[in-house]
Amino acid sequence: MKQAPTPVPPAAGAVPTAAALALGDDALVLSHRLAEWAGNAPVLEEEVALTNIALDLLGQARFLLSLAGDEDELAYLREERAFRNVQLVEQPNGDFAHTIARQLFFSTYQELLFGQLAAGDGPFAPLAGKAVKEVAYHRDHAEHWTLRLGDGTEESHRRTQTALDALWRYTGELFEPVEGLEVDVTALRDGWLTLITKTVRQATLELPTGPQAGAWTAGAGRQGLHTEPFGRMLAEMQHLHRSHPGASW
Amino acid sequence: MTSTDWPLWEVFVRSRRGLSHTHAGSLHAPDAEMALRNARDLYTRRSEGVSIWVVPSASITASSPDEKDPFFEPAADKPYRHPTFYDIPEGVRHL
Amino acid sequence: MTTMAPDTGSYEAVFDAAVAADERIEPRDWMPDAYRASLVRQIAQHAHSEIIGMQPEANWITRAPSLRRKAILMAKVQDEAGHGLYLYSAAETLGTSRDELLDKLHSGRQKYSSIFNYPTLTWADVGAIGWLVDGAAITNQVPLCRCSYGPYARAMVRVCKEESFHQRQGYELLLTLSRGTEAQHAMAQDAVDRWWWPSLMMFGPPDGESAHSAQSMAWKIKRHSNDELRQRFVDICVPQAESLGLTLPDPDLRWNEERGHHDFGPIDWAEFHEVLRGNGPCNDQRITRRRQAHEDGAWVREAAAAYAGKHRDTQGEAGA
């Protein structure tokens, strides 16, 4: 059920490739990062939860990349500069607080975006209709953990505030326009900020005050400009596939 | 040190509408909300359920095996509660 | 419908009669202390094996060579965490908490299956583990679905149902490699060469040397002997290897018409005991990693417990 993307793909030619890559790469990269937790989660129940989220995202990625071409060619044979994901999703897992902060920021955004896509009649509507339910659960998971970490112990509070602050600079990019997407992504910012603020306050944490983008990197991921850890992530992900050109797996 | 020993919860899953919740197993969670989510992730990852209950294991009062006889034996000698107790002539239908 | 205890019978007689009649023993029933201890040991070892067993396979998730394989492998490793949870949950019904069992695992006082002390060196190892290791595990586990202890038997039913996909994906993975490029075929053969003998060891020492076997069989928490299950496994694998186009690394392996079984070569029990003693290639690595994950997660578990303590009054509205 989770492995096989079920929505009916739109007719060929109807898909804006750049947008499919942007959304597909977001899901692919975040899924990969979450999968790195396998065997390392803080408690066994969370192994299962994180993998469920990672599998949902991988399903979305496969569907979206298949709209733009061959999923494996796109995942395994593109160079770093050709990936269109936002920098937020490629950030290393860090401690559990960093992973949860990344989840909170991204799943809240993804739920708003997919909600709008699902309501429209564009080429992404069928996928978004299915994915928005998955993503709502991811957001719920992130919110519940943000509350528990923020309002838990002194240590968990400190770690979570650090994580929110550290990842804040990657959130501005979420609202850069995506080429070919019928949704006004920039307009999602207010709704996103309201939701994040509510959760963060309820968790007894402070909304970060720093800039929401680095000095020269606004919108950079969508243009193929990534952070250093991403290259190493891709090296690991692509190595085996690239070592056997033309092989099937 | 804070106790990290999260309490144990019993999980009951309704596999589809029309059936009652059935005991599926247990898990650990810090509170009811997380228990419900953990149960969803653990016990319904292959679409095994449409509804879940979680109950703190400590809240369950069970009949004791020592009381087995007083609890269940009186029922065992009332075969007239079961439809097979009655002889119905062949050919009588809808009964 | 219930078997009544003889009026004057001792608890033990009731227990023995239930086991003899192939009835299930349930958590609140009286049971001999040694039965309880044996079960806890067996279930714990089984649960630990699921949890430690995640590591050799998770080792390849981030390098899986196609997105389809990646999804399958993630789902499989996730299942192993789930199986660990089902089994710890069965052990808890015997009055042993998961924390207690994890402590024993982390401190080396309880064991897990030695097979997971071997490394996964190539992608084909993921296939070999699915086909051979999971295959051996299933051979061991299917009879346990009828084990005398109810919660364990029910956990095993769930586990076995889910395991069958594990073995199939491994077989399919190896088949694809075997029929692929020369390098892929060689990778598959190499993996089978390395995993075959350790898989046979998974059934445990020969019947004559197995410490707990006889009593466990009498209690029906083990339903077939080690050698019996090992033979069954070999007989199943031989034709499967042929279909794969791969060979099993045993020159003595041949059909014995008289026995109606395959004969196979001697197992290197010295290696088995060495690995069991802690001298396998990955013993330290596996336990260190497990302990690390547990320690790294301590602050998270504490945080959630603290939050629950603060908000106990507002809980409950979520249930219903």
Side-chain angles (χ1 to χ4, degrees):
Chain A
M1 165 191 98
K2 292 226 151 74
Q3 290 90 328
T6 46
V8 182
V15 178
T17 306
L21 285 182
L23 304 187
D25 287 347
D26 281 351
L28 176 70
V29 172
L30 186 56
S31 167
H32 185 97
R33 283 299 189 205
L34 289 172
E36 290 174 352
W37 274 102
N40 295 310
V43 62
L44 282 172
E45 279 81 357
E46 205 51 32
E47 292 280 354
V48 183
L50 290 172
T51 310
N52 267 350
I53 298 173
L55 282 170
D56 285 344
L57 288 165
L58 186 52
Q60 295 168 14
R62 294 181 65 191
F63 185 88
L64 287 159
L65 293 182
S66 298
L67 296 179
D70 178 85
E71 59 174 30
D72 285 338
E73 271 176 37
L74 289 168
Y76 292 99
L77 299 176
R78 270 183 302 161
E79 299 294 326
E80 180 178 334
R81 298 277 274 114
F83 277 80
R84 291 290 178 265
N85 54 285
V86 290
Q87 293 179 355
L88 175 65
V89 295
E90 75 202 31
Q91 294 313 304
N93 287 336
D95 64 6
F96 189 65
H98 277 76
T99 291
I100 290 300
R102 193 181 61 198
Q103 284 303 108
L104 179 71
F105 291 156
F106 186 74
S107 59
T108 303
Y109 157 79
Q110 217 189 6
E111 188 184 5
L112 291 170
L113 177 59
F114 283 0
Q116 293 218 359
L117 286 172
D121 54 4
F124 297 111
L127 168 81
K130 170 175 184 280
V132 74
K133 291 178 214 146
E134 298 169 349
V135 173
Y137 189 79
H138 304 171
R139 194 251 315 135
D140 175 86
H141 171 266
E143 281 178 0
H144 274 83
W145 269 115
T146 304
L147 293 182
R148 279 150 187 81
L149 298 182
D151 193 13
T153 62
E154 215 171 291
E155 179 182 9
S156 69
H157 181 89
R158 176 175 50 73
R159 282 176 182 265
T160 311
Q161 188 64 58
T162 305
L164 292 176
D165 293 345
L167 292 170
W168 190 247
R169 59 183 308 209
Y170 299 105
T171 55
E173 193 190 351
L174 295 171
F175 309 103
E176 294 294 324
V178 176
E179 188 193 329
L181 214 55
E182 73 263 27
V183 171
D184 180 2
V185 179
T186 313
L188 299 176
R189 183 195 290 265
D190 288 348
W192 180 87
L193 195 60
T194 307
L195 291 168
I196 296 291
T197 305
K198 182 169 170 272
T199 305
V200 166
R201 294 241 168 94
Q202 200 187 335
T204 71
L205 296 158
E206 304 282 339
L207 199 68
T209 49
Q212 274 182 280
W216 61 281
T217 56
R222 297 281 187 230
Q223 292 150 35
L225 211 54
H226 296 278
T227 54
E228 285 186 351
F230 187 52
R232 285 191 296 279
M233 191 203 104
L234 284 187
E236 184 174 341
M237 183 174 103
Q238 296 182 336
H239 158 261
L240 175 60
H241 184 98
R242 286 181 179 237
S243 301
H244 298 261
S248 340
W249 301 95
Chain B
M1 198 186 93
T2 329
S3 164
T4 59
D5 202 355
W6 292 355
L8 190 65
W9 302 75
E10 299 300 324
V11 178
F12 299 82
V13 176
R14 185 200 295 285
S15 56
R16 57 190 165 81
R17 306 186 71 83
L19 297 181
S20 52
H21 288 75
T22 307
H23 187 238
S26 66
L27 48 74
H28 286 272
D31 53 57
E33 290 188 329
M34 294 303 267
L36 209 48
R37 282 157 183 81
N38 290 346
R40 176 257 195 199
D41 286 329
L42 181 60
Y43 287 103
T44 66
R45 35 184 216 298
R46 287 179 168 79
S47 334
E48 294 98 329
V50 295
S51 163
I52 300 172
W53 291 344
V54 290
V55 181
S57 306
S59 301
I60 291 187
T61 309
S63 65
S64 138
D66 294 343
E67 296 159 345
K68 185 164 130 183
D69 291 358
F71 260 65
F72 303 114
E73 204 167 341
D77 69 350
K78 297 182 181 61
Y80 44 81
R81 286 195 201 276
H82 301 277
T84 46
F85 180 74
Y86 304 93
D87 290 328
I88 303 293
E90 257 177 60
V92 177
R93 306 192 316 150
H94 306 299
L95 196 71
Chain C
M1 63 174 247
T2 50
T3 318
M4 283 296 132
D7 291 347
T8 55
S10 68
Y11 285 127
E12 185 139 23
V14 177
F15 171 85
D16 288 343
V19 171
D22 252 336
E23 280 193 25
R24 298 286 172 266
I25 304 300
E26 294 295 343
R28 288 163 59 87
D29 290 339
W30 182 90
M31 59 188 87
D33 290 345
Y35 174 83
R36 186 183 298 272
S38 274
L39 267 175
V40 170
R41 191 188 59 242
Q42 185 175 331
I43 299 174
Q45 173 166 341
H46 195 161
H48 298 333
S49 301
E50 296 282 357
I51 300 311
I52 297 288
M54 295 170 71
Q55 289 183 34
E57 293 182 277
N59 185 33
W60 282 94
I61 289 180
T62 52
R63 293 177 285 174
S66 75
L67 296 184
R68 175 173 175 269
R69 290 287 172 205
K70 187 169 175 163
I72 294 170
L73 186 54
M74 280 162 62
K76 176 170 193 271
V77 173
Q78 181 194 39
D79 272 350
E80 278 147 20
H83 296 172
L85 284 166
Y86 302 154
L87 289 159
Y88 285 123
S89 152
E92 302 223 36
T93 63
L94 291 160
T96 314
S97 77
R98 193 203 301 175
D99 272 15
E100 211 175 317
L101 295 179
L102 284 178
D103 268 355
K104 287 187 175 154
L105 169 66
H106 296 155
S107 60
R109 279 174 296 155
Q110 275 179 347
K111 303 238 174 278
Y112 53 89
S113 177
S114 265
I115 191 82
F116 300 119
N117 290 319
Y118 290 85
T120 46
L121 302 179
T122 73
W123 170 250
D125 289 27
V126 172
I129 288 187
W131 176 42
L132 296 174
V133 176
D134 291 332
I138 291 171
T139 309
N140 262 327
Q141 291 168 2
V142 166
L144 293 177
C145 297
R146 294 183 299 118
C147 128
S148 63
Y149 187 58
Y152 188 27
R154 291 192 285 276
M156 290 317 302
V157 168
R158 202 178 267 273
V159 168
C160 286
K161 222 188 317 180
E162 299 184 354
E163 286 275 346
S164 58
F165 120 68
H166 295 183
Q167 197 191 11
R168 275 167 167 255
Q169 67 81 33
Y171 194 82
E172 187 206 68
L173 193 164
L174 283 178
L175 190 65
T176 309
L177 293 180
S178 180
R179 292 179 178 173
T181 66
E182 212 172 303
Q184 286 177 306
H185 181 88
M187 192 193 281
Q189 184 61 59
D190 167 61
V192 169
D193 289 347
R194 280 181 291 110
W195 288 93
W196 173 249
W197 289 106
S199 300
L200 292 192
M201 295 176 196
M202 283 176 70
F203 296 93
D207 294 346
E209 296 162 31
S210 180
H212 307 290
S213 274
Q215 179 62 74
S216 294
M217 298 259 294
W219 277 332
K220 296 185 182 171
I221 56 182
K222 188 172 168 165
R223 311 237 24 170
H224 300 280
S225 82
N226 295 352
D227 287 332
E228 206 180 322
L229 291 168
R230 187 165 16 241
Q231 180 69 60
R232 185 183 297 178
F233 178 67
V234 171
D235 289 339
I236 289 172
C237 285
V238 170
Q240 289 179 347
E242 267 167 37
S243 303
L244 278 176
L246 298 172
T247 55
L248 296 172
D250 179 359
D252 298 326
L253 190 65
R254 62 179 56 86
W255 177 251
N256 181 328
E257 191 66 51
E258 227 168 277
R259 292 202 306 125
H261 290 293
H262 291 87
D263 290 338
F264 52 97
I267 292 172
D268 182 358
W269 292 111
E271 175 183 315
F272 174 78
H273 289 296
E274 269 308 293
V275 178
L276 201 62
R277 206 169 291 136
N279 296 327
C282 301
N283 298 56
D284 288 343
Q285 178 189 330
R286 300 285 187 243
I287 280 295
T288 304
R289 165 103 179 264
R290 178 87 270 289
R291 218 184 279 145
Q292 189 68 47
H294 191 72
E295 283 166 15
D296 289 349
W299 70 269
V300 177
R301 298 191 299 276
E302 281 167 24
Y307 177 90
K310 290 184 209 175
H311 296 267
R312 194 148 288 149
D313 303 339
T314 54
Q315 283 286 330
E317 58 203 73

